[in-house]
Amino acid sequence: MAFDAEWLALREPADHAARDAGLLAQAAKAAGEIPRVLDLACGTGSTFRAFAAHLSADAAWRLLDHDRDLLDRAVDNAPDRVEICHFDIADPEALPLEDVTLVTTSALLDLVSERWLKALVARLRARHLPFYAALSYDGRMIWEPRDEEDIRVIDAFNFHQRRDKGFGPALGPDAVPFAQELFEAQGYHVSIARSDWCLSSGADALKETLTRDIATAADEAGYTATPRWQELGSMRALRVGHLDLLALPPGSRGS
């Protein structure tokens, strides 16, 4: 599953506004006194930028992505202690976890499969590592004012979200509850917080792109939204449900 740089730039302000500030601060604390953070599917470095005010200047980052163009953009303004890695994260067993104190990701969990997530949790537990995953889509979309066609579009979109995104059948909206179950079975303390996009005036470009992408996915899943709905979709206020998750290993600070 690949995303272009323009889309990532368009969504970054909404992502940063939506992240739960308390969970972000706890994740930064969990990274320890000498943070060494591994960011999975880093894109252009949005997660790194979100942590900027929460980690000390000597924090080291290892940013992983399979897209060289996105990595080139990530490195543009990155300080010396950011390591850029061209890496396919499809195999959790191969992730470079050496010397890492925190593993992060954003907008990824809903795209991965049960098998992939089970393998990741097993590796993190073996190394006693905390994990912070932000902005996982949870199946909620609410337009205001509401329209009778909304529910059919949402149902089709959510069905599409469970298709293979490159990791096997995707968890889609079930990702965070499933991750919570896996981590808690390994003795982790798990915290979850909402991180919804709240898009109204000032987010017209994002709403327009998002409405088009939602309609395309719904169509591929078997429901074709009417032109009227697509026009309404980009004009109305929209809340898109996301969840942030922080999983702390047994005995760690805050667990």
Side-chain angles (χ1 to χ4, degrees):
M1 185 74 178
F3 298 99
D4 63 43
E6 288 71 23
W7 164 247
L8 295 178
L10 193 60
R11 66 171 288 169
E12 185 165 329
D15 284 343
H16 284 199
R19 285 176 187 268
D20 183 81
L23 220 57
L24 179 60
Q26 289 180 50
K29 182 179 179 181
E33 296 180 0
I34 306 176
R36 293 181 174 87
V37 187
L38 176 69
D39 189 36
L40 308 179
C42 69
T44 62
S46 182
T47 300
F48 163 73
R49 289 187 286 275
F51 270 89
H54 296 271
L55 290 178
S56 59
D58 61 351
W61 283 78
R62 185 177 297 154
L63 307 185
L64 271 58
D65 205 285
H66 73 286
D67 189 314
R68 289 188 182 276
D69 178 61
L70 297 183
L71 289 171
D72 287 343
R73 294 173 184 254
V75 78
D76 280 346
N77 298 306
D80 292 340
R81 294 184 66 79
V82 174
E83 176 187 1
I84 302 296
C85 300
H86 183 240
F87 194 93
D88 186 351
I89 66 168
D91 179 11
E93 296 294 335
L95 294 176
L97 299 178
E98 298 78 13
D99 301 322
V100 169
T101 63
L102 172 69
V103 177
T104 67
T105 193
S106 299
L108 176 68
L109 287 194
D110 49 300
L111 306 180
V112 304
S113 65
E114 288 189 10
R115 180 178 180 181
W116 188 94
L117 191 53
K118 286 178 179 178
L120 176 67
V121 171
R123 282 214 70 198
L124 297 179
R125 180 64 180 91
R127 289 183 172 268
H128 207 67
L129 288 173
F131 180 64
Y132 168 72
L135 299 158
S136 301
Y137 174 63
D138 69 359
R140 293 177 295 119
M141 286 190 284
I142 302 171
W143 284 269
E144 293 292 349
R146 303 191 185 195
D147 184 80
E148 61 180 12
E149 200 173 349
D150 292 346
I151 189 64
R152 294 192 290 274
V153 173
I154 294 169
D155 285 347
F157 179 81
N158 287 346
F159 181 81
H160 188 278
Q161 286 298 100
R162 292 180 170 86
R163 291 185 174 183
D164 191 334
K165 303 297 192 294
F167 303 91
L171 287 162
D174 300 324
V176 169
F178 185 70
Q180 179 178 14
E181 179 182 334
L182 291 179
F183 277 111
E184 288 181 345
Q186 295 295 326
Y188 274 64
H189 175 77
V190 178
S191 300
I192 295 172
R194 285 192 173 184
S195 51
D196 296 354
W197 281 354
C198 298
L199 310 178
S200 53
S201 59
D204 293 344
L206 178 56
K207 284 194 295 178
E208 182 178 348
T209 301
L210 187 60
T211 298
R212 182 175 63 249
D213 291 348
I214 291 169
T216 297
D219 183 65
E220 291 175 358
Y223 179 75
T224 301
T226 64
R228 180 194 63 83
W229 182 88
Q230 294 189 52
E231 183 177 356
L232 279 174
S234 59
M235 296 170 58
R236 295 179 288 164
L238 171 62
R239 176 183 290 269
V240 181
H242 296 103
L243 296 171
D244 294 351
L245 174 146
L246 176 63
L248 301 175
S252 65
R253 292 186 301 171
S255 65

